[in-house]
């Protein structure tokens, strides 16, 4: 079960449960950030799990997914401040991919936000607060892939914070998130 724009998802996979259990046990034992060990296999079914900072989720999951997008990339996000992500979105748009972003209005004024660069490149970006915060960290690609998790698309999200990012290959979930994104758009 997936809920739009949350990090909550339910999987019946014991493998996914074990992946999270290992990560949380490391933190409960006092290992954080770069002190945590990484597991070699962090996938089950059509789900891949990444933890920051050890797994470099932007480098190993997000950017490769953006590069292979063919139809669309829709992103509801708290902030995008990593220039590699914004550069890949601009490249995707220039190759004909429909790219749209909804970002948090308070973070739109953040000096590190890349939303102005993307707007200048012709990518439609909405800054919204929806009577609160746009606190999502999601990416929907081509009615096939969905990224959810706690990680902001930022340098700190990839390199400093203890975060999680889940890459799901599931057309039904991706379409569900796409419809909700377009409703908010």
């Amino acid at each position: 079960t997936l809920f739009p724009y949350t990090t909550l998802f339910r999987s019946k996979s014991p493998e996914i449960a074990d992946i999270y259990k290992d990560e949380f046990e490391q933190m409960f034992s006092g290992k954080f950030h770069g002190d945590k060990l990484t597991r070699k296999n962090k996938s089950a079914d059509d789900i891949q799990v990444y933890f920051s900072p050890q797994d470099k989720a932007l480098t190993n999951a997000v950017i490769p997914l953006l590069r292979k997008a063919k139809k669309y990339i829709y992103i509801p996000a708290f902030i995008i401040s990593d220039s590699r992500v914004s550069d890949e979105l601009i490249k995707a748009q220039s190759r004909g991919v429909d790219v749209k972003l909804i970002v948090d209005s308070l973070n739109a004024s953040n000096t590190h936000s890349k939303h102005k660069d993307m707007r200048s490149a012709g990518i439609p970006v909405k800054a919204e607060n929806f009577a609160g915060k746009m606190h999502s960290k999601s990416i929907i690609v081509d009615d096939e892939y969905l990224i959810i998790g706690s990680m902001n698309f930022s340098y700190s999200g990839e390199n400093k914070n203890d975060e999680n990012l889940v890459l799901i290959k599931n057309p039904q979930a991706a379409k569900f998130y796409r419809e909700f994104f377009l409703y908010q758009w």
Side-chain angles (χ1 to χ4, degrees):
T1 304
L2 295 166
F3 302 95
Y5 305 165
T6 70
T7 60
L8 176 65
F9 78 102
R10 182 175 60 188
S11 172
K12 294 180 181 179
S13 165
E15 294 88 359
I16 296 295
D18 284 344
I19 292 166
Y20 274 91
K21 180 181 175 212
D22 286 352
E23 181 74 5
F24 292 144
E25 284 179 349
Q26 288 187 70
M27 291 193 294
F28 289 141
S29 72
K31 291 183 181 177
F32 296 95
H33 314 302
D35 293 336
K36 294 183 298 182
L37 302 174
T38 190
R39 259 176 96 124
K40 290 196 186 294
N41 183 12
K42 289 191 182 172
S43 63
D45 304 318
D46 286 328
I47 300 171
Q48 297 174 355
V49 179
Y50 297 83
F51 295 107
S52 295
Q54 68 267 35
D55 293 334
K56 303 293 182 206
L58 292 180
T59 300
N60 295 316
V62 173
I63 291 175
L65 180 62
L66 298 178
R67 285 181 178 154
K68 72 181 197 176
K70 302 282 187 244
K71 297 184 284 186
Y72 75 83
I73 301 168
Y74 296 156
I75 303 178
F78 186 60
I79 189 169
I80 296 177
S81 61
D82 187 288
S83 61
R84 297 171 306 148
V85 173
S86 61
D87 290 348
E88 287 303 327
L89 292 170
I90 292 167
K91 288 176 190 175
Q93 190 241 10
S94 70
R95 68 176 187 267
V97 175
D98 181 27
V99 178
K100 288 183 173 76
L101 287 89
I102 303 174
V103 297
D104 180 72
S105 62
L106 292 176
N107 274 301
S109 61
N110 182 310
T111 57
H112 299 291
S113 176
K114 299 296 180 191
H115 81 281
K116 288 180 184 177
D117 297 341
M118 291 181 279
R119 275 189 179 150
S120 294
I123 294 174
V125 179
K126 291 181 81 173
E128 295 288 351
N129 68 10
F130 299 115
K133 286 203 172 275
M134 168 54 76
H135 205 76
S136 177
K137 292 97 189 268
S138 304
I139 300 176
I140 311 122
V141 176
D142 292 346
D143 283 350
E144 189 171 359
Y145 295 97
L146 174 63
I147 286 178
I148 61 173
S150 65
M151 190 183 94
N152 286 315
F153 307 120
S154 66
Y155 176 85
S156 293
E158 177 162 70
N159 296 294
K160 292 183 177 182
N161 303 341
D162 287 304
E163 306 286 358
N164 78 97
L165 182 138
V166 183
L167 172 58
I168 303 167
K169 182 178 181 183
N170 182 310
Q172 182 181 359
K175 289 175 187 174
F176 176 76
Y177 265 67
R178 174 182 46 88
E179 289 302 316
F180 191 71
F181 176 89
L182 292 173
Y183 167 79
Q184 288 190 311
W185 184 262

